Amino acid sequence: MKKRKILLFTLVCTLALSSAMAACADVVGRTQDGYIHRYTAENGQDIFFVSTEENPQILTDTDVNFDGHPDLAIVTSMGVSNTFYTFYVWDGSKYVYPQCMTDGIANYELVDGKYVVSHSNDGWAGALFKDQICVWNGSALEALRTMVSEEETVTEVDGSVARTTTNSERLHVTLWETDKESGEQHVLWERTYDPVPEDDASYEEMTTKLWEGLK
C-alpha cells in the first residue's frame, strides 16, 4: 500500500522537535493516565499538566494562536506515528489553558498564520487518518473542518438486532464543516474508494477537498 502523503499545500510553519526550543518539567505525581508534571515558565508561573511521557518536551518558541507572542506546546502523548499536544497561550500577563473544541491535537502544523492543522495517522500506512483544520475564536480553538478516512462500515438492522460489517478493502472518506453560528456539523463531501487507493491522485483529491474554499 502506498503511504499517504500529507499534502497541506504551502505550510508557513512546521514543528520539528529536534530543532524547536524545548524545556523540561518536574514529575510531581501520578494518575491512571500518566505523570503529573510541573513546569515553571520564564515568568515564574507554575503550570501543571498530565503526560504519558516521563520526560515530555515543552516547546516554548511557537506562536500557536498567531498573536506575535510565543506560547507553550506540551507533548501529552507520543507514539510511533502520532504525537499529541496541549497548548498554553500567552494572554498578555500569563499563560492560560484555552478551550479546545477539537478531537485532540496531533502532529500539528501552523498554516498561513491562521490555521492550526491536526493530523492523526490511524493506520494502513496513513490511509486511515483524521485531519482537522482549526481556527481561533477568541481564546477558544475550534475545529472548522474535519476529514476522517476509515474502513467502510455498513450497519443493517433486523428488528432488535443490528449487524455492522466492516470492509477492509474499501475506504470511506467524509469531510464535515462546522457551522459558525449553530456549532453543528454538516457533510461537505464524502466518497468511498474501492479498492483502497494506492495512487497519489486520490490522496491529492482528499487534500484538495479538505482545503477547498479556504486557500
Side-chain angles (χ1 to χ4, degrees):
M1 181 183 297
K2 184 182 290 293
K3 183 176 182 181
R4 180 189 180 233
K5 294 182 178 179
I6 305 174
L7 300 170
L8 297 177
F9 299 97
T10 303
L11 301 177
V12 173
C13 177
T14 62
L15 275 180
L17 293 181
S18 61
S19 61
M21 293 178 61
C24 298
D26 298 320
V27 175
V28 296
R30 292 289 301 270
T31 72
Q32 292 182 340
D33 298 322
Y35 299 90
I36 302 173
H37 295 272
R38 179 184 62 223
Y39 166 67
T40 303
E42 290 186 356
N43 67 334
Q45 178 183 354
D46 283 337
I47 294 171
F48 294 88
F49 63 92
V50 175
S51 174
T52 60
E53 306 300 309
E54 187 172 3
N55 297 296
Q57 286 194 293
I58 304 170
L59 307 180
T60 61
D61 65 342
T62 178
D63 179 12
V64 299
N65 63 350
F66 314 109
D67 67 351
H69 193 286
D71 305 300
L72 304 178
I74 300 172
V75 174
T76 57
S77 178
M78 180 180 291
V80 175
S81 301
N82 298 311
T83 299
F84 288 88
Y85 297 84
T86 190
F87 298 145
Y88 282 83
V89 297
W90 184 255
D91 72 350
S93 61
K94 63 184 182 301
Y95 291 101
V96 297
Y97 182 75
Q99 181 182 13
C100 289
M101 301 169 67
T102 69
D103 294 329
I105 299 296
N107 308 319
Y108 80 92
E109 296 175 285
L110 307 178
V111 181
D112 283 359
K114 58 182 175 180
Y115 301 116
V116 178
V117 181
S118 172
H119 169 83
S120 64
N121 180 341
D122 299 331
W124 289 7
L128 305 181
F129 64 88
K130 176 182 283 186
D131 284 353
Q132 294 183 95
I133 299 177
C134 307
V135 294
W136 291 94
N137 182 6
S139 60
L141 183 62
E142 302 176 349
L144 175 63
R145 287 185 179 177
T146 302
M147 176 177 281
V148 176
S149 172
E150 57 194 350
E151 297 169 286
E152 183 190 56
T153 58
V154 177
T155 300
E156 298 177 342
V157 179
D158 183 6
S160 61
V161 178
R163 297 182 179 86
T164 299
T165 302
T166 300
N167 189 334
S168 60
E169 296 183 354
R170 291 165 62 93
L171 193 68
H172 187 76
V173 182
T174 309
L175 172 64
W176 291 272
E177 185 170 71
T178 303
D179 184 87
K180 294 180 180 179
E181 300 297 329
S182 66
E184 297 180 353
Q185 288 189 326
H186 61 274
V187 175
L188 277 183
W189 174 80
E190 62 183 325
R191 178 174 175 179
T192 298
Y193 294 87
D194 182 13
V196 176
E198 297 189 3
D199 59 297
D200 287 345
S202 295
Y203 296 104
E204 289 172 357
E205 177 185 40
M206 298 175 199
T207 301
T208 298
K209 291 296 183 180
L210 176 65
W211 285 98
E212 197 168 60
L214 297 181
K215 297 178 70 68

